[in-house]
Amino acid sequence: MNGIRAQRRLRLLTGLAIALCSAGFASTTRAEQPMKNASPSLYAPHSERGRYFNPWAPRSWSFLDVLKWKLLSRNRYDKSAPLQVPRVANDGAGLAGFEHSATVTWVGHATFAVHDEGDVFLTDPHFGPRALIPRRLVPPGIPIESVPAHAFAVVSHNHYDHLDEWTVERLPAAMPWFVPMGLAEWFRGRGRANVVELDWWQSARHGRFTITCLPAQHWSRRGIGDTNETLWCSWLVDSGPRRYFFAGDTGYFPGFAEFGQRLGPIDVAMLPIGAYEPRWFMQHQHMDPAEAYQAFLDLRAQHMLAMHWGTFDLTDEPADLAPRVLADAVRAAGGDASRTVVMAIGEQWHVPKSAAD
Ligand code: ZN
Ligand code: ZN
């Protein structure tokens, strides 16, 4: 009896920890159909009494859903098989120097190092050993020390698998950070003064880059009682010759079609494909691989880079399943698999020259 009770308590604690660090502890929505004319809601006010929300997705989520997921629902996946996550050796030296080209290196999870001409930027940099509780399954693709001093970073939201204190402390103290509303204070509190806070649809200039904060369908939480006090977002980083879209964490929503129409042509779309089961609970905050592929089509991007898999075990499906499901989805849709790129951790991918070059 005590054993069962202890097991239940452990499951609950694990659930709470996972909920805190990535999946929906507080703000998720019920299965709402996207609004018919979604565009206006993408531009609508999205905060109320100090909390942010997704205006196109009515709020109706509860803590009970977490309990239902963790305590009552049965995981239909067998996770006993060893994970197959490819990794290639990379000392990060490729981030130095200048070339008339661009590469994207996958560090793992939602972290990419983009090397565009002579500049470098990072997305949701996480090189650390844990995402609060879940431990890192595969070492980061490049050493954190290889990030050049002139690099800048964009951060999508404050969940522990996207915003990592261990990493922030080890990156150059003067590094410029671009963050969504409400998150600058966290950085300043850690001596990181070079931080630009943006709301959805706002842009900032950094050298030759235009960096635009865009809506995403997600939520935020870092500690007790701070649910949705800081905003979540995706990013468009325009270097001039190339446009990069970084989705952060998001459910599938009408924003992708809007971005594709308004902000294209997009060269590279970094899209999350993992941490999507069970769907009844996750679909509002995390896309599954088929939705990520649809988002790529909506964005009308040249290439999709898959992310948010293989690095942390966050949800019901095995952490290495998403790429296989993505391949099936692309095949079923009659898509061009050469445009949906699944990299190895540490792999450096060369951005093909666009027709405009
Ligand atoms: Zn998240
Ligand atoms: Zn995440």
Side-chain angles (χ1 to χ4, degrees):
M1 188 64 194
N2 277 347
I4 291 171
R5 208 176 287 156
Q7 215 175 358
R8 279 220 169 129
R9 197 175 302 151
L10 184 67
R11 280 194 78 187
L12 179 59
L13 278 175
T14 311
L16 292 176
I18 288 173
L20 262 171
C21 94
S22 90
F25 181 89
S27 187
T28 123
T29 55
R30 292 281 173 209
E32 304 286 343
Q33 291 304 309
M35 292 162 69
K36 261 207 171 116
N37 182 5
S39 289
S41 64
L42 294 169
Y43 300 89
H46 44 276
S47 72
E48 200 175 65
R49 293 191 293 275
R51 311 257 175 182
Y52 293 94
F53 61 95
N54 305 299
W56 58 88
R59 285 170 289 174
S60 62
W61 49 295
S62 81
F63 176 61
L64 287 177
D65 287 339
V66 181
L67 298 183
K68 187 178 151 197
W69 171 37
K70 279 291 145 192
L71 295 178
L72 301 176
S73 76
R74 208 176 62 84
N75 187 352
R76 65 190 176 95
Y77 290 96
D78 174 8
K79 295 172 90 169
S80 59
L83 291 177
Q84 306 283 336
V85 182
R87 183 175 185 276
V88 296
N90 185 343
D91 63 4
L95 298 182
F98 182 94
E99 287 171 65
H100 285 293
S101 61
T103 62
V104 184
T105 302
W106 190 35
V107 179
H109 205 56
T111 309
F112 290 99
V114 180
H115 184 212
D116 185 295
E117 318 267 320
D119 297 302
V120 171
F121 69 89
L122 303 175
T123 61
D124 285 356
H126 194 319
F127 292 73
R130 286 186 182 276
L132 189 60
I133 308 286
R135 67 180 175 84
R136 185 174 209 102
L137 303 170
V138 182
I142 52 172
I144 193 168
E145 297 77 22
S146 68
V147 176
H150 59 79
F152 66 94
V154 295
V155 173
S156 64
H157 65 302
N158 73 358
H159 285 157
Y160 286 86
D161 56 322
H162 297 258
L163 175 60
D164 182 46
E165 190 161 11
W166 187 99
T167 301
V168 174
E169 281 172 355
R170 283 160 181 80
L171 286 169
M175 177 181 264
W177 294 87
F178 295 86
V179 304
M181 294 300 283
L183 207 47
E185 193 186 317
W186 186 94
F187 283 87
R188 292 196 190 106
R190 284 153 185 82
R192 268 52 187 172
N194 199 352
V195 53
V196 178
E197 196 176 81
L198 296 175
D199 202 351
W200 291 347
W201 302 105
Q202 286 182 337
S203 296
R205 292 282 303 178
H206 179 71
R208 64 194 175 89
F209 290 85
T210 304
I211 299 156
T212 305
C213 176
L214 293 168
Q217 181 173 302
H218 202 60
W219 62 289
S220 74
R221 184 183 179 99
R222 191 122 179 127
I224 305 296
D226 66 353
T227 303
N228 295 347
E229 285 184 358
T230 66
L231 188 58
W232 47 94
C233 70
S234 57
W235 293 98
L236 188 80
V237 181
D238 186 342
S239 71
R242 294 162 206 94
R243 282 183 200 152
Y244 304 89
F245 176 80
F246 172 68
D249 254 353
T250 181
Y252 178 76
F253 79 121
F256 299 115
E258 183 80 356
F259 307 152
Q261 240 166 39
R262 270 198 60 180
L263 307 169
I266 293 166
D267 295 272
V268 179
M270 294 164 252
L271 295 168
I273 63 169
Y276 59 87
E277 290 280 12
R279 293 311 288 151
W280 67 265
F281 185 51
M282 291 297 164
Q283 64 175 322
H284 318 292
Q285 50 193 311
H286 290 163
M287 295 190 284
D288 68 16
E291 288 172 329
Y293 181 61
Q294 185 58 50
F296 163 64
L297 298 178
D298 293 355
L299 287 162
R300 308 177 190 183
Q302 285 302 308
H303 288 90
M304 163 180 171
L305 299 187
M307 65 172 191
H308 209 263
W309 70 276
T311 318
F312 298 108
D313 185 5
L314 301 172
T315 48
D316 279 4
E317 87 277 10
D320 60 350
L321 178 64
R324 282 172 273 154
V325 179
L326 174 68
D328 290 345
V330 175
R331 205 176 303 120
D336 176 359
S338 71
R339 291 173 60 200
T340 50
V341 180
V342 177
M343 299 163 74
I345 290 179
E347 184 179 342
Q348 188 181 33
W349 178 78
H350 291 259
V351 181
K353 280 195 183 307
S354 70
D357 284 345

